[in-house]
């Protein structure tokens, strides 16, 4: 079954959205690296890797459906944040935006009755729900910690121990 042209276009756009997300998180990791919070830097670095994986999942889907891959330029991400909470708030907004994008994509897949695409997008919708929850939970606790450095460092250590957050340049873990 040929992939609907509108759906093809939107799936290509989603590759770009995921790569843009990856770039946002990489910029955030870089910002955190210049603060004492190396755990959050690792968290963001791992998140950047996850977003790249998402982009590649959409890429592979287009290839598997024999549709044309058309890549667009990636915009420069926001480079500076005013606080840890500010960065995580931006992260939550980023995830909510992506959830909306995938939700819209699902609607188009439904309109053109492409059930295989719906299946792919359902996986992403669940993934988005999880990611939003993870960020929201951390944000809640960051707000609770406020300016208490000791509490922030506890959360930072926890963030650094998050599964998949072992990576980072020079750490010997993933990318
Ligand atoms: Fe993603
Ligand atoms: Fe995400």
């Amino acid at each position: 079954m040929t992939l609907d042209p509108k759906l093809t276009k939107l799936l290509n756009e989603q590759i770009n959205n995921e790569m843009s997300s990856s770039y946002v998180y990489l910029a955030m990791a870089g910002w955190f690296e210049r603060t004492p919070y190396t755990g959050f830097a690792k968290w963001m670095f791992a998140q950047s890797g996850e977003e790249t994986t998402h982009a590649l999942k959409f890429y592979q889907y287009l290839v598997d459906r024999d549709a044309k891959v058309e890549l667009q330029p990636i915009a420069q991400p926001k480079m500076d944040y005013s606080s840890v909470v500010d960065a995580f708030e931006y992260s939550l907004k980023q995830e909510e935006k992506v959830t909306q994008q995938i939700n819209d994509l699902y609607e188009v897949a439904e309109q053109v009755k492409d059930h295989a695409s719906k299946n792919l997008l359902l996986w992403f919708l669940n993934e988005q729900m999880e990611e939003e929850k993870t960020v929201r939970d951390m944000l809640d606790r960051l707000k609770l910690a406020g300016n208490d450095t000791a509490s922030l460092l506890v959360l930072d250590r926890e963030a650094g121990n998050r599964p998949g957050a072992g990576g980072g340049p020079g750490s010997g873990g993933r990318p």
Side-chain angles (χ1 to χ4, degrees):
M1 180 176 143
T2 312
L3 198 59
D4 174 83
K6 187 177 173 196
L7 200 51
T8 304
K9 187 171 174 288
L10 288 171
L11 287 167
N12 267 300
E13 276 176 25
Q14 200 55 34
I15 295 181
N16 191 272
N17 293 335
E18 301 289 344
M19 288 307 287
S20 299
S21 254
S22 175
Y23 233 39
V24 164
Y25 287 121
L26 193 60
M28 242 180 231
W31 181 79
F32 272 116
E33 288 287 359
R34 286 180 295 118
T35 73
Y37 303 112
T38 52
F40 292 130
K42 278 185 189 167
W43 162 303
M44 292 306 173
F45 188 86
Q47 195 55 44
S48 174
E50 277 215 11
E51 300 303 347
T52 302
T53 307
H54 292 165
L56 297 180
K57 210 171 158 90
F58 282 112
Y59 164 87
Q60 193 58 49
Y61 183 72
L62 286 169
V63 170
D64 291 346
R65 291 293 303 266
D66 198 27
K68 191 179 178 196
V69 172
E70 261 180 299
L71 302 181
Q72 300 295 327
I74 302 166
Q76 186 187 23
K78 179 171 158 63
M79 299 302 305
D80 289 294
Y81 296 91
S82 60
S83 64
V84 178
V85 165
D86 183 37
F88 272 84
E89 264 171 351
Y90 194 84
S91 170
L92 182 58
K93 271 199 209 108
Q94 175 69 27
E95 289 309 326
E96 286 170 346
K97 191 170 85 186
V98 172
T99 302
Q100 187 62 54
Q101 288 161 347
I102 301 208
N103 217 57
D104 293 348
L105 253 171
Y106 187 91
E107 246 171 65
V108 175
E110 203 164 51
Q111 279 162 20
V112 300
K113 297 185 167 58
D114 190 322
H115 301 297
S117 296
K118 277 166 66 177
N119 189 44
L120 172 85
L121 293 163
L122 262 188
W123 182 89
F124 273 102
L125 283 172
N126 283 319
E127 174 78 6
Q128 282 309 117
M129 211 164 65
E130 260 180 50
E131 285 196 355
E132 277 190 31
K133 181 176 171 14
T134 309
V135 177
R136 209 177 290 117
D137 286 351
M138 182 55 86
L139 191 54
D140 284 348
R141 288 185 300 154
L142 283 168
K143 284 180 177 168
L144 198 66
N147 290 322
D148 178 29
T149 315
S151 304
L152 286 173
L153 285 173
V154 169
L155 292 175
D156 177 66
R157 189 185 320 150
E158 192 187 304
N161 289 332
R162 171 195 161 170
S171 71
R174 88 183 229 199

